[in-house]
Amino acid sequence: MMQAQKINANSDQSKAQTVYPILIVIGIAHLLNDALQSVVPALFPVLQNSMGLTFTQLGLIAFALNATSSLIQPIVGMYTDKKPSPYALPIGLTLSLFGIIGLALAPSFWIIMISVLFIGLGSAAFHPEGSRVAYMAAGNRRGLAQSIYQVGGNSGQALAPLMAAFILLPLGQIGALWFTLVAAAAVVLLLYIAAWYKQQVNKSKPVEKIVVHKKTMKHEKRLNENKRIIVFSISLLIFLVFARSWFHAGITNFYAFYAIENYGIPIADSQIYIFVFLGAGAIGTFFGGPLADRFGKRVVISLSMLGSAPLAILLPFVDPTFAYLLIAIIGFIILSSFSVTVVYAQELVPGRIGLVSGLIVGLAFGMGAIGSVALGVLADWIGLTNTIIFTVCLPLIGLLTFLLPSDQKVREMHN
């Protein structure tokens, strides 16, 4: 009986169809959500000039935004694993809408901090359930599905320097009000997604629990060994994403200032470097999922960090023209594993989609907010150039990826 149920489950999974319309809509919603979140770092040059904020204060703003999201996402994921909440998606974007309004009208540093907390809360509500929608619509193309979802988010982040150059710099802080239209559009899309999500929940049947009363000592030993491997692997994966997030924070928050200081270019031109990095990263995110489906998730995770490491180390020592090409290649390679790490973690801990997505997308990535503060303090202390040199060495931590179990090992553990 148990074997028959297992065969049926595998058969159902193999026949599952990929729901591309839902994946495209949730990807667009992810783009809009992360574009709203990217308004905050895009405002940094404006706020530094208008309010005289220090690098440390800018780091604290980034920390407030990302730490709020990171600490709450795993909690939201744990709750929705037990009780799916389709309407958490539009509710989250409504919170972000309030945050954007506050950000545009904020007269002081502390009002800005409160406003970004609302944006962080909105992101925390959106991301775990967004990952679940992508998982539900994936069928048997999990890598591709997660890439479509995540490339939306990375594309939204890539818009930040363009927003700074063409909207926020000309209009100033009040220009952020234009993004209330973006938030409203996202809420409408997510109401559609929530209706589909609710239908899927209603269609699903309770899974019959099978209790095995007697287990051999050999089976118990294998279960304990697998548990140790899973705990170690998830912990290592979180650390690797943490390191990648520090690198991401260093480039997106401080490389523009480095370019202004070392290349003597205006603020608007410096934002193009960030756009190139994030735009190439969005393309890399899209291709990373299908490559992982074909060659393995651990392979892509390893190559994304180790392949980008030597190029990243060269970045502070090249001329401004070559830096465009180099930063594009770095962005493509290092962010190619963005969606892959989520799918790898989901397969390590099947059945806990919300919690795992909250840990990887939220906690681990959000812990990079600590990097924003640390790098801001470091820039005030040892200078911007030395801080960028420290940042570009972080991908070398990718050597630890060889300690992760192979894809085949992960499959064997759950057979």
Side-chain angles (χ1 to χ4, degrees), residues 140-188:
N140 56 4
R141 302 293 303 278
R142 291 182 184 174
L144 175 62
Q146 196 64 222
S147 285
I148 292 172
Y149 169 68
Q150 296 293 355
V151 78
N154 285 6
S155 299
Q157 294 172 21
L159 292 175
L162 296 184
M163 292 187 289
F166 298 111
I167 299 177
L168 299 176
L169 287 176
L171 299 179
Q173 186 178 340
I174 196 70
L177 280 177
W178 281 102
F179 296 97
T180 57
L181 300 177
V182 174
V187 170
V188 172

Side-chain angles (χ1 to χ4, degrees), residues 58-69:
L58 295 177
L60 286 171
I61 292 171
F63 175 79
L65 174 67
N66 293 309
T68 304
S69 172

Side-chain angles (χ1 to χ4, degrees), residues 191-260:
L191 286 171
Y192 168 74
I193 288 290
W196 177 85
Y197 180 177
K198 187 176 181 180
Q199 286 180 350
Q200 303 310 303
V201 172
N202 292 336
K203 286 179 183 177
S204 63
K205 298 179 180 179
V207 179
E208 181 183 351
K209 293 183 179 179
I210 301 172
V211 180
V212 180
H213 295 285
K214 294 183 180 180
K215 299 177 182 176
T216 63
M217 291 181 64
K218 183 178 180 180
H219 184 57
E220 285 278 12
K221 183 178 179 180
R222 183 180 178 187
L223 286 176
N224 291 333
E225 180 183 351
N226 288 347
K227 184 177 180 181
R228 286 194 295 270
I229 293 173
I230 290 169
V231 170
F232 170 79
S233 299
I234 288 292
S235 301
L236 179 56
L237 203 61
I238 289 172
F239 177 71
L240 289 167
V241 177
F242 181 32
R244 188 182 64 196
S245 299
W246 273 54
F247 177 80
H248 189 278
I251 297 297
T252 56
N253 290 334
F254 300 108
Y255 187 78
F257 295 109
Y258 172 84
I260 293 168

Side-chain angles (χ1 to χ4, degrees), residues 24 38 53 65 82-83 142 161 197 220 246 268 310 317 391:
I24 292 170
S38 296
L53 301 183
L65 174 67
K82 297 178 181 178
K83 188 177 180 180
R142 291 182 184 174
Y197 180 177
E220 285 278 12
W246 273 54
F317 307 104
T391 299

Side-chain angles (χ1 to χ4, degrees), residues 15-21 23 136-142 144-145 148:
K15 294 178 181 178
Q17 297 296 313
T18 304
V19 189
Y20 288 103
L23 288 175
M136 292 167 65
N140 56 4
R141 302 293 303 278
R142 291 182 184 174
L144 175 62
I148 292 172

Side-chain angles (χ1 to χ4, degrees), residues 76-124:
V76 172
M78 290 176 65
Y79 175 79
T80 55
D81 279 336
K82 297 178 181 178
K83 188 177 180 180
S85 304
Y87 290 95
L89 293 164
I91 289 171
L93 264 293
T94 302
L95 291 174
S96 295
L97 171 61
F98 292 143
I100 289 294
I101 294 172
L103 192 64
L105 303 177
S108 67
F109 170 74
W110 290 109
I111 300 299
I112 290 172
M113 291 286 282
I114 293 170
S115 299
V116 300
L117 289 177
F118 273 92
I119 298 173
L121 287 171
S123 179

Side-chain angles (χ1 to χ4, degrees), residues 7 22 28 33 56 60 105 120 134 179 186 195 203 213 225 236 271 277 301 325 390 407:
I7 293 172
I22 292 297
I28 294 172
N33 176 84
T56 300
L60 286 171
L105 303 177
F179 296 97
K203 286 179 183 177
H213 295 285
E225 180 183 351
L236 179 56
Q271 294 296 313
F277 172 75
I301 294 170
L325 175 63
F390 168 78
D407 293 52

